[in-house]
Amino acid sequence: MYTPISFALLVTSSLFCQLVTSQTHEPTELHLIHRVVHPDLPVTPWAELGTITVPSFKSISPTGSAASLSLAESLRDDLAEFSEAVDPNMQGAMYHVAIERLESEGPISSIKACLLPSSTSANVVIHFSATGEPFAIDYSVSPVPQDGICTVTNMGSYPAHNASVVLKSPRMAPLPELRIPPPLTPEGEPVASVPEKSFVQKYWIYMVVVLGALLISGPAEDSPSGDGKGGK
């Protein structure tokens, strides 16, 4: 059976719109993974950090919408294995947090591992593209020394933080203000603007009319006094 090309394109476009709509309106889940690395030690495999429930894309604000992170059940055991593989006090040790993807390694955020033992809280920010896809992640802990230099502690372990999560949609840039180009003469030169007329130039005709009316009317005649009879 022959199907017109226009009809096939219409069906394809409809299916694509439905797919995009379902992705931007239905809640989804993001799985976060983490690990510790050191340039002189074997790479620690990724472990599950937790799951973020993402609401519909339209409900995410450019300034940030709060979400919750459900920590993995194996988190404490994984952190204990991290401390055995890489001591956080080692110079050059890094802590990685990433968004898990099936086909490839997702966006990664990294901080100094030595900042973790003395930290008391963590924060995760997920950035979404205009199509609703997460393209970047920011992971941070606090408190952090102002100079960024880690203090060596006796705690060679990684804490389990129930991090606060913020989701951000793209912010639209302001539209440029376009100015209308000045008119040009046939020779390509800007047309000289006409100078603004003065008050007299604008309203001289009205002044002439008023002045003419006053001259035509002449001076007002004096009204006779008394009853018109001469006195004795």
Side-chain angles (χ1 to χ4, degrees), residues 43 55 68 102 107 112 117 147 158 172 186-187 207 216 220 222:
V43 178
S68 59
L102 298 178
K112 295 179 180 179
D147 54 9
Y158 298 91
M172 297 299 295
E187 291 76 17
M207 297 179 182
I216 294 173
D222 296 336

Side-chain angles (χ1 to χ4, degrees), residues 31-39 41-50 69 75 78-79 82 86 88 92-100 105-116 122-124 137-141 158-159:
H31 298 281
L32 301 185
I33 52 179
H34 62 155
R35 70 179 180 183
V36 289
V37 296
H38 192 278
L41 297 175
V43 178
T44 305
W46 289 103
E48 183 182 0
L49 174 59
L69 172 65
L75 177 60
D78 295 333
L79 292 175
F82 289 170
V86 180
M94 302 296 293
Y95 178 68
H96 291 177
V97 177
I99 300 175
E100 184 180 24
E105 193 176 84
I108 300 176
S109 178
S110 61
I111 62 172
K112 295 179 180 179
C114 58
L115 296 174
L116 289 169
N123 183 59
V124 178
I137 177 174
D138 297 327
Y139 183 87
S140 60
V141 294
Y158 298 91

Side-chain angles (χ1 to χ4, degrees), residues 16-28 54-60 128-133:
F16 176 77
C17 292
Q18 292 178 5
L19 177 61
V20 172
T21 302
S22 63
Q23 290 179 349
T24 56
H25 288 271
E26 294 181 1
T28 57
V54 180
S56 67
F57 179 66
K58 283 192 173 182
S59 65
I60 299 177
F128 291 84
S129 65
T131 58
E133 292 293 329

Side-chain angles (χ1 to χ4, degrees), residues 148-173:
I149 300 176
C150 300
T151 56
V152 179
T153 62
N154 296 326
M155 296 182 298
S157 60
Y158 298 91
H161 292 311
N162 189 6
S164 60
V165 180
V166 175
L167 311 176
K168 290 188 176 183
S169 61
R171 186 186 300 270
M172 297 299 295

